[in-house]
Amino acid sequence: MITPKVLVTCDACCTLPPQHKTNLRIPSIPAVIKTDKGEFLEGKEVTTQNILDYMRRTDKTPRLVAPSVEEYRRFFTEQQEKAPVICHFCASSKLSRAYHNAAEAAVSLKNVYVIDSLQVGSGMNYQVIQGARLASEGFGAEFIKKSSEEIEPNIVNRYIGENTDFLRICKKGKIVGCSLMDFFGRTPAVSVKGGVIKGSSAPNNAKGEYWKKFIKKELAEKKNISKEIVFLTFANPYKVDTEKYINEVKKYVAFDRIVVTNMSPQIAMYMGEKGFGISYLLR
């Protein structure tokens, strides 16, 4: 097998399904999830569902801690055994210490390029996929970095929850907004844009089909959506009938690929067990 010149890596909060990361040869580094029961590695020792189970059981929010400078340095050194140049995609610098720690680690190493994705979760998928493709085609790290920065403004990355249950836990008593949403029959929603998570709300209904209106609003009237790939993100895909969501998406846009994936803990803690997200690119 030919050794690649550039290897694309990422933080584990990039929600590409594991088989995609394996097929594209994209190693990832996990954050640490801290609870009163101990510390666990994101995606390796604890799943998003584990985190939500903990929140419901204890009424507490776990703490997500980015890899340390030394952990990034060790990770990059290990990956440079596979390729001389590393292009690493980090969670948004406005949401985590990840980018700052990774950039500091890269200072003492050669040929490690750290990219601030300005995204988290499925929004990162587009940059990481494109980076891996460009690397396989022989493009250099500088070009990969520039290309990822160019597509970020075109990424739409939005999520909705079934109710305010988990948002109330995260708010730790500051629940006026949650009470207002409940009163007016609305449910929590967030979008990731410009590097930050922006909260809002969306209509709910007694049938629990909040996600249908959400999909229609996102896809029905937009003419400039790239049809190449869309990510449908669930807090736990095994607890819902994902085919219903896929068929609903197909009513509005004929995407070439519809990929179901897990929600990152950073988002799921707000959206809850029946949280749902949709991520796509604008042309």
Side-chain angles (χ1 to χ4, degrees), residues 82-132:
K82 304 173 186 176
V85 181
I86 303 297
C87 226
H88 183 80
F89 288 85
C90 276
S92 171
S93 61
K94 299 179 182 179
L95 299 174
S96 164
R97 286 287 310 171
Y99 173 76
H100 304 285
N101 291 350
E104 185 175 339
V107 169
S108 61
L109 301 170
K110 290 183 178 180
N111 297 321
V112 175
Y113 294 77
V114 178
I115 300 167
D116 183 356
S117 72
L118 292 178
Q119 278 290 334
V120 69
S122 294
M124 295 176 67
N125 295 352
Y126 295 97
Q127 295 161 304
V128 172
I129 288 174
Q130 177 175 275

Side-chain angles (χ1 to χ4, degrees), residues 1 4 7-9 19-27 82 132:
M1 184 175 67
L7 178 68
V8 168
T9 63
Q19 67 269 25
H20 283 64
K21 288 183 180 179
T22 300
N23 293 341
L24 294 170
R25 298 187 179 90
I26 302 172
K82 304 173 186 176

Side-chain angles (χ1 to χ4, degrees), residues 13 15 119-125 156-161 187-192 197-198 200 202 214 218 231-235 261-264 267-268 271 275-279:
C13 62
T15 60
Q119 278 290 334
V120 69
S122 294
M124 295 176 67
N125 295 352
V156 177
N157 186 22
R158 294 184 178 144
Y159 304 85
I160 190 171
T187 193
V190 299
S191 60
V192 185
I197 297 175
K198 298 179 179 179
S200 61
F214 179 67
E218 286 300 315
F231 290 95
L232 306 186
T233 310
F234 299 87
T261 187
N262 281 287
M263 194 174 292
S264 66
I267 301 293
M271 298 295 98
F276 167 67
I278 186 166
S279 304

